Amino acid sequence: MEATALNETAKIISQAQKEGRKALLETEAKTICMEYGIPVTKFKLAKNVGEAVEFAEQLGYPVVLKIVSPDILHKSDSGGVIVNLKSKTEVQDAYGKTLENAKRYKATAKIAGVLVQEMAPQSTEVIVGAVKDPQFGQTLMFGLGGVFVEILKDVTFKIAPITREDAREMVTGIKAYPLLKGYRNTPATDVDAILNILLNASRLVMDNPQIKELDLNPVLAYEKGAKTVDARIILE
Ligand code: ADP
Ligand code: MG
């Protein structure tokens, strides 16, 4: 493939602005992530059920299917995420289901297609985010996924741009940090991989001041490496 430099991000953002869209599609947000060296699950956008099966076979089972719609921001709320599909028939069924569920959730929702993506093995889920604070500008956030962020509010913040040392303080600063260091039969996660994502996210939002919110939720953290399975970007 040709080197794309940092052109894809600018193109995606200006195209969305032209169309009056504030929320980027998952495909767009992940393409931007890739340009900034943030690892994401492999994906392909299917426009029909035949393509969905073709892409699933290219990626290898199991796969995940997700609805892609500018009108559906929280995909699982709409029944738009179906994980762990292991065969052609499961993909065919799930393809129909995601579309049906989307229609039921919001009859007028425009559908860009159905995203077929590699299924990332389960692991500790972390969240890397950024918000543009009216006073401090781009501000990064880190926490563990699920209840840790939503209920316990166990998160750390730093104003961008951040250094590697800042990133390390964000990660070690959460109360749940011992969980990342490994416990019982859960192995330690690759903290360096998480630091790289934080640093790249910092670069991404500093380079693109039109971004109001970045939400990598979740990022699966492994013994070796980390992978973003969902990315959301909201423009000003
Ligand atoms: P949304 O946040 O819009 O509801 P997500 O893309 O985050 O949708 O999907 C919901 C959940 O499904 C995720 O939090 C994650 O647990 C799981 N999931 C989504 N995509 C994948 C994937 N590619 N591999 C493994 N799990 C996934
Ligand atoms: Mg998500």
Side-chain angles (χ1 to χ4, degrees), residues 1-121:
M1 230 167 66
E2 286 170 51
T4 44
L6 291 174
N7 298 325
E8 204 59 30
T9 299
K11 260 189 240 161
I12 289 170
I13 290 175
S14 70
Q15 183 62 28
Q17 285 171 330
K18 223 183 285 166
E19 292 172 18
R21 287 189 288 124
K22 297 225 183 293
L24 300 187
L25 302 172
E26 182 175 337
T27 44
E28 296 171 326
K30 280 185 167 168
T31 302
I32 291 175
C33 284
M34 284 161 66
E35 199 163 67
Y36 277 88
I38 297 171
V40 300
T41 43
K42 290 194 195 103
F43 63 88
K44 283 196 154 193
L45 186 67
K47 302 282 192 180
N48 57 57
V49 67
E51 277 186 0
V53 170
E54 186 189 323
F55 297 158
E57 314 229 302
Q58 285 170 8
L59 292 170
Y61 297 105
V63 294
V64 177
L65 256 53
K66 296 192 204 180
I67 195 73
V68 181
S69 164
D71 303 311
I72 300 176
L73 210 53
H74 299 280
K75 299 172 294 281
S76 37
D77 290 354
S78 75
V81 179
I82 306 184
V83 301
N84 205 21
L85 302 166
K86 298 195 202 82
S87 66
K88 177 176 174 177
T89 46
E90 284 185 16
V91 168
Q92 287 168 331
D93 288 350
Y95 185 89
K97 245 180 242 157
T98 51
L99 293 177
E100 262 171 52
N101 290 345
K103 282 277 170 259
R104 194 172 316 123
Y105 180 74
K106 197 167 188 184
T108 56
K110 277 196 224 91
I111 307 294
V114 174
L115 199 55
V116 183
Q117 57 185 253
E118 70 172 295
M119 168 108 186

Side-chain angles (χ1 to χ4, degrees), residues 26 32 40 46 53 70-71 77-78 88 94 96 140-141 144-146 151 159 167 176 178 181 184 191 214 216 219:
E26 182 175 337
I32 291 175
V40 300
V53 170
D71 303 311
D77 290 354
S78 75
K88 177 176 174 177
L140 290 156
M141 190 210 85
L144 287 200
I151 296 169
I159 297 167
K181 283 201 308 185
R184 297 202 183 146
V191 169
L214 166 74
L216 310 180
V219 174

Side-chain angles (χ1 to χ4, degrees), residues 75 217-218 230 232:
K75 299 172 294 281
N217 180 9
D230 183 26
R232 200 162 12 244

